[in-house]
Amino acid sequence: MITSVKNEKVKSWKKLQKRKERTEQGLFLIEGYHLVEEAWKSKWEIQEIIVQENSDVPHWAKGFSLEYVSDNVFQYISQTQTPQGIAATVKMKQQTTINGNQVLLIDAIQDPGNLGTIIRTADAAGFGAIILGNGTVDMYNDKVIRSTQGSLFHLPIFQANLEEKIPALQQDGFSIWASALANSKDYHTMDVPEKVALVVGNEGAGIQEQLLKLADSIVKIPIYGKAESLNVSIAAGILMYHLKG
């Protein structure tokens, strides 16, 4: 059992809390029974499972490399308020395949909770992929991962330059719908294309002008009360379910 936070393995796990280190190691850290099991069920490559002393080990985990650690070590690497006593290091996946006719494009969303909720909703709505544009929060951020409730492992999610990706999707037969208030039409008045890529934008600034110019349609969700706008994850959810028809 590892009992010191100065242990080299522990230092390596702790480093995974930073994006730069995750990228360099090609690994990220997940916590909790549900997330670790979802990674396993979804056939992501688990490098090792970290178990806090006196915690239960799931039956399916027995074949993996298990590292037992003391309470103080687990608290040191944990980023949750009430740790469950199990964590894992998982290899990042290089994914570029789009499975299906609906794709979500994310332009510079910065709140981890928003991104995680959007990923979870896209999974529930049966979208074929999520493409993260420049300036978007890291999908392997611990708050993003927790907010996805495991949906991170269920559909392709990858980074790309949206200015280059949108024309490529259009060549592949996708119509581009951008969500914005100016020069837009109510979404429910529009015919839903067979293949569609929906763009949602930054919480404060919205979608960048150069991306709006590339869109085939600009759509909005009507506001019937006095709120100025909708939270981006709510707006994305309404539009994604509409596009699934």
Side-chain angles (χ1 to χ4, degrees), residues 104-105 107 176-185 187 197-202 205-208 211-212 215 217-221 230-232 234-239:
L104 183 65
L105 309 183
D107 178 28
I176 309 299
W177 276 29
S179 170
L181 292 173
N183 305 315
S184 54
K185 294 179 180 171
Y187 76 94
L198 171 66
V199 190
V200 293
N202 174 271
I207 297 170
Q208 295 174 70
L211 299 181
L212 286 173
S217 303
I218 300 176
V219 299
K220 68 179 177 187
I221 300 166
L230 285 164
N231 170 280
V232 65
I234 299 290
I238 291 168
L239 293 170

Side-chain angles (χ1 to χ4, degrees), residues 35-52:
L35 282 173
V36 175
E37 187 169 354
E38 282 302 312
W40 167 68
K41 280 183 181 170
S42 305
K43 297 187 167 47
W44 281 55
E45 190 179 335
I46 294 173
Q47 188 184 59
E48 59 195 341
I49 295 174
I50 305 153
V51 184
Q52 185 176 357

Side-chain angles (χ1 to χ4, degrees), residues 5 26 37 39 52-53 64 66 71 75 104 106 109 115 146 155 162 212 215 223-224 227 229-230 233 245:
V5 296
E37 187 169 354
Q52 185 176 357
E53 59 182 317
F64 286 91
L66 296 176
D71 293 343
Q75 292 286 348
L104 183 65
I106 292 181
I109 284 177
L115 180 60
R146 285 205 302 277
L155 73 169
L162 296 186
L212 286 173
I223 303 281
Y224 299 114
S229 61
L230 285 164
S233 58

Side-chain angles (χ1 to χ4, degrees), residues 166 170 174-178 190 211-218:
I166 286 172
Q170 286 165 322
F174 281 87
S175 285
I176 309 299
W177 276 29
M190 310 271 297
L211 299 181
L212 286 173
K213 285 177 181 165
L214 294 171
D216 298 298
S217 303
I218 300 176

